[in-house]
């Protein structure tokens, strides 16, 4: 029964608004809450949630005001950013930014927490211009987020500024005695000619459940490059609902990489909106899950302008009774001639109980386009396995090598070498193989 949660969402809102110092978004928030109740939580009857049952999430109740006290040390955070010592990072714990655990070396960039930006009059105009402008307004979870968001990452990169160091945004939860909900909100604006790399990860250190309902808006201007890497390697007491919207202007490049290695139920919704010619969009994903975990990727690219390209490459490896969902949509408007849209989703099922639902959708109204899509679900190639076994490699290692090779081409769009190494290590860990893959390939 979702009644308890719905009542909580309604009854806590006035108290939530009181926690905000700057109240210029109150009307937006109240309208979003009303919209949320108009739509209600999606059920299996909704086409978009046909394969993903959210009852496990919506039938629990959550605390909307997390306990702020924590015992997370610098050492704990150092463990989390293995190999990223020369990156910048920003740490949120229990919904609050912790400067003493963060490390930011950039100077002339307005790098702020979302909450700070909300409270800083000089950012009011930026907020009114960008905030919630590309978010879908007809979705339960985006409206819930708009009504309740306060914590998160805000960054406006000025014209022609190249940020050399990637920024890792950590969302940590610890010391919560009851189930907790976080409505995290990110806003990234990469102005003309700028470059930025962001890494985002969420970690729940408690036995109680955490439900993260996250919305990210990315604006990439002319000749700018913005990459956002989502590292999802959380516990079995975490749920993630992620909506990311990326709007691109001409000659820009935007990448969203999603590495889903853990979490009980993870749903990633990705929308790319093209608003100019010669745009490149890249979406890559690697999913490795086990047990009764579920990961669902829903992507959409809106090709509204001519001469643009989009590439989607999602790989899934499923063990135990895990379940994968992939739904990739490509819309090509009538005027979007010379569009090149590529979509690939390949899955390997390692156990009898694992399953995948994959559904590519293309809606093409232009006649001079190249659109391709391929979806495969299968087991490991027996011949390749036999070949490796014949060379004296154990079955387990041979299997891991093939799976590593299978997943590897979805890592092509990681320009950050330490991150690529880190993902390789996580991959090896998930495949339960004790070796350095660099030695093999």
């Amino acid at each position: 029964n979702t009644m308890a949660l719905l009542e909580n969402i309604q009854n806590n809102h006035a108290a939530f608004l009181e926690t905000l110092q700057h109240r210029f978004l109150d009307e937006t928030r109240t309208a979003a809450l009303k919209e949320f109740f108009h739509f209600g939580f999606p059920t299996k009857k909704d086409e978009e949630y046909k394969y993903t049952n959210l009852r496990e999430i919506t039938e629990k109740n959550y605390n909307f005001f997390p306990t702020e006290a924590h015992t997370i040390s610098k050492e704990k955070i150092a463990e989390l950013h293995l190999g990223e010592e020369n990156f910048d990072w920003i740490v949120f714990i229990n919904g609050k930014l912790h400067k003493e655990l963060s490390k930011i070396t950039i100077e002339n960039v307005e790098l702020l927490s979302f909450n700070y930006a909300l409270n800083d009059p000089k950012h009011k105009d930026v907020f009114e211009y960008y905030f919630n402008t590309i978010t879908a307004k007809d979705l339960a979870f985006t409206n819930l987020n708009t009504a309740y968001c306060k914590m998160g990452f805000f960054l406006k990169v000025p014209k022609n500024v190249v940020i050399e160091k990637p920024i890792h945004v950590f969302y940590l939860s610890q010391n919560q005695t009851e189930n907790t909900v976080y409505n995290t909100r990110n806003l990234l604006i990469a102005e003309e000619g700028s470059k930025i790399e962001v890494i985002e990860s969420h970690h729940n250190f408690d036995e109680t459940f955490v439900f993260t309902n996250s919305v990210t808006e990315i604006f990439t201007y002319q000749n700018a490059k913005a990459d956002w890497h989502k590292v999802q390697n959380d516990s079995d007491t975490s749920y993630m609902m992620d909506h990311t919207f990326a709007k691109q202007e001409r000659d820009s490049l935007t990448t969203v990489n999603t590495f889903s290695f853990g979490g009980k139920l993870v749903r990633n919704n990705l929308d790319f909106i093209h608003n100019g010619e010669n745009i490149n969009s890249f979406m890559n994903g690697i999913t490795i899950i086990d047990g009764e975990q579920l990961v669902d990727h829903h992507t959409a690219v809106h090709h509204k302008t001519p001469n643009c390209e989009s590439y989607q490459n999602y790989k899934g490896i499923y063990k135990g009774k895990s379940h994968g969902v992939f739904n990739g949509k490509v819309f090509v408007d009538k005027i979007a001639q010379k569009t090149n849209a590529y979509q690939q989703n390949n899955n390997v099922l390692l156990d009898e109980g694992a399953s995948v639902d994959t559904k590519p959708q293309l809606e093409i109204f232009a006649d001079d386009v190249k659109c391709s899509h391929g979806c495969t679900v299968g087991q490991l190639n027996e011949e390749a396995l036999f070949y490796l076994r014949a060379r004296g490699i154990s079955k387990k290692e041979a299997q891991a090598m093939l799976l590593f090779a299978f997943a590897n081409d979805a890592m092509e769009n990681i320009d950050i070498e330490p991150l690529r190494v880190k993902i390789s290590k996580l991959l090896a860990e998930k495949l339960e193989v004790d070796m350095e893959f660099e030695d093999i390939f």
Side-chain angles (χ1 to χ4, degrees):
N1 189 344
T2 61
M3 282 312 291
L5 177 55
L6 291 171
E7 275 173 27
N8 224 345
I9 289 170
Q10 183 69 59
N11 299 340
N12 279 315
H13 199 243
F16 168 75
L17 293 179
E18 288 300 316
T19 68
L20 303 167
Q21 289 156 280
H22 212 46
R23 302 285 293 268
F24 72 95
L25 287 174
D26 276 17
E27 279 178 29
T28 307
R29 292 176 182 284
T30 311
L33 189 69
K34 200 175 159 184
E35 283 295 280
F36 166 79
F37 279 101
H38 172 71
F39 294 106
F41 286 119
T43 65
K44 298 264 287 189
K45 290 193 185 89
D46 291 89
E47 188 58 34
E48 291 291 294
Y49 284 85
K50 194 170 156 184
Y51 305 115
T52 300
N53 193 340
L54 298 174
R55 276 174 53 188
E56 186 184 349
I57 299 178
T58 58
E59 291 185 354
K60 286 187 174 65
N61 212 339
Y62 302 90
N63 175 18
F64 278 71
F65 303 98
T67 310
E68 284 184 11
H70 75 91
T71 55
I72 292 175
S73 62
K74 277 200 157 159
E75 290 69 35
K76 187 81 173 161
I77 288 163
E79 276 170 37
L80 291 176
H81 55 67
L82 188 72
E84 301 173 345
E85 285 67 24
N86 59 348
F87 290 9
D88 276 351
W89 59 86
I90 179 167
V91 177
F92 291 91
I93 301 174
N94 303 338
K96 210 171 171 223
L97 170 67
H98 284 264
K99 280 190 179 160
E100 78 286 359
L101 295 170
S102 304
K103 184 189 111 190
I104 294 297
T105 55
I106 323 160
E107 276 159 32
N108 63 340
V109 169
E110 302 166 89
L111 174 96
L112 302 157
S113 79
F114 191 83
N115 191 29
Y116 182 79
L118 279 178
N119 293 316
D120 184 357
K122 85 167 197 275
H123 284 108
K124 189 173 175 223
D125 296 350
V126 173
F127 258 77
E128 288 184 336
Y129 189 75
Y130 290 103
F131 176 73
N132 216 32
T133 55
I134 55 174
T135 314
K137 307 296 184 290
D138 58 351
L139 301 174
F141 291 102
T142 54
N143 281 309
L144 178 60
N145 180 287
T146 299
Y148 270 101
C149 64
K150 158 177 165 180
M151 70 179 265
F153 169 76
F154 164 71
L155 174 60
K156 183 162 170 270
V157 189
K159 195 173 169 177
N160 298 327
V161 168
V162 174
I163 297 184
E164 299 294 345
K165 293 184 178 186
I167 300 167
H168 193 144
V169 186
F170 289 99
Y171 291 106
L172 313 180
S173 182
Q174 189 232 25
N175 223 9
Q176 304 303 317
T177 52
E178 44 190 324
N179 299 338
T180 305
V181 61
Y182 295 103
N183 287 288
T184 53
R185 187 78 176 218
N186 304 301
L187 176 57
L188 174 66
I189 302 147
E191 292 195 332
E192 191 182 328
S194 68
K195 275 189 187 166
I196 172 74
E197 299 263 0
V198 178
I199 303 161
E200 170 196 6
S201 62
H202 299 253
H203 305 270
N204 174 18
F205 294 113
D206 295 324
E207 292 302 304
T208 48
F209 279 86
V210 158
F211 170 35
T212 301
N213 176 34
S214 178
V215 172
T216 300
E217 293 178 281
I218 301 169
F219 295 85
T220 317
Y221 280 88
Q222 194 176 329
N223 285 312
K225 177 177 183 285
D227 294 348
W228 196 290
H229 310 274
K230 295 171 187 283
V231 183
Q232 299 174 336
N233 189 28
D234 211 346
S235 73
D236 260 353
T237 51
S238 12
Y239 303 124
M240 164 66 90
M241 172 64 64
D242 187 300
H243 282 86
T244 297
F245 301 89
K247 186 181 183 193
Q248 293 181 251
E249 305 301 326
R250 72 184 181 88
D251 301 311
S252 67
L253 191 157
T254 297
T255 300
V256 175
N257 289 325
T258 311
F259 305 107
S260 306
F261 298 151
K264 184 68 172 65
L265 195 162
V266 177
R267 162 79 171 222
N268 291 301
N269 305 277
L270 199 45
D271 273 84
F272 274 75
I273 303 134
H274 284 190
N275 199 37
E277 296 201 25
N278 302 315
I279 288 169
N280 278 290
S281 304
F282 294 94
M283 285 142 274
N284 299 289
I286 298 175
T287 302
I288 306 182
I289 49 171
D290 201 348
E292 296 191 353
Q293 295 176 321
L294 181 148
V295 170
D296 176 348
H297 296 290
H298 264 64
T299 65
V301 184
H302 305 270
H303 281 278
K304 296 174 184 287
T305 42
N307 302 307
C308 294
E309 307 202 349
S310 67
Y311 299 89
Q312 301 183 51
N313 187 6
Y314 285 81
K315 304 280 187 186
I317 297 169
Y318 300 93
K319 306 197 234 179
K321 290 190 179 127
S322 63
H323 182 193
V325 181
F326 176 79
N327 186 181
K329 296 190 184 88
V330 175
F331 303 100
V332 184
D333 284 8
K334 205 171 177 176
I335 64 155
Q337 301 293 356
K338 305 275 184 215
T339 288
N340 188 358
Y342 167 87
Q343 194 186 70
Q344 193 70 26
N345 172 230
N346 307 105
N347 303 287
V348 173
L349 304 177
L350 290 180
D351 291 302
E352 290 283 304
S355 62
V356 170
D357 291 289
T358 177
K359 179 174 152 196
Q361 286 172 274
L362 305 177
E363 289 188 22
I364 302 164
F365 300 100
D367 47 21
D368 184 10
V369 299
K370 270 190 206 155
C371 293
S372 64
H373 69 85
C375 293
T376 61
V377 179
Q379 274 76 36
L380 274 182
N381 182 327
E382 287 298 321
E383 279 177 36
L385 210 51
F386 180 79
Y387 173 83
L388 290 170
R389 300 289 311 275
R391 303 264 168 309
I393 294 166
S394 78
K395 186 177 179 186
K396 196 173 173 183
E397 284 190 333
Q399 196 179 23
M401 285 165 77
L402 291 177
L403 289 170
F404 190 86
F406 165 78
N408 202 40
D409 70 342
M411 283 161 54
E412 277 172 10
N413 281 78
I414 306 180
D415 291 344
I416 314 168
E417 193 49 39
L419 180 63
R420 188 194 287 268
V421 171
K422 181 176 174 167
I423 297 295
S424 298
K425 283 187 171 140
L426 283 173
L427 209 54
E429 209 176 283
K430 289 288 161 192
L431 297 171
E432 290 169 13
V433 57
D434 188 28
M435 55 166 112
E436 287 294 318
F437 282 102
E438 288 73 25
D439 304 344
I440 306 168
F441 297 104

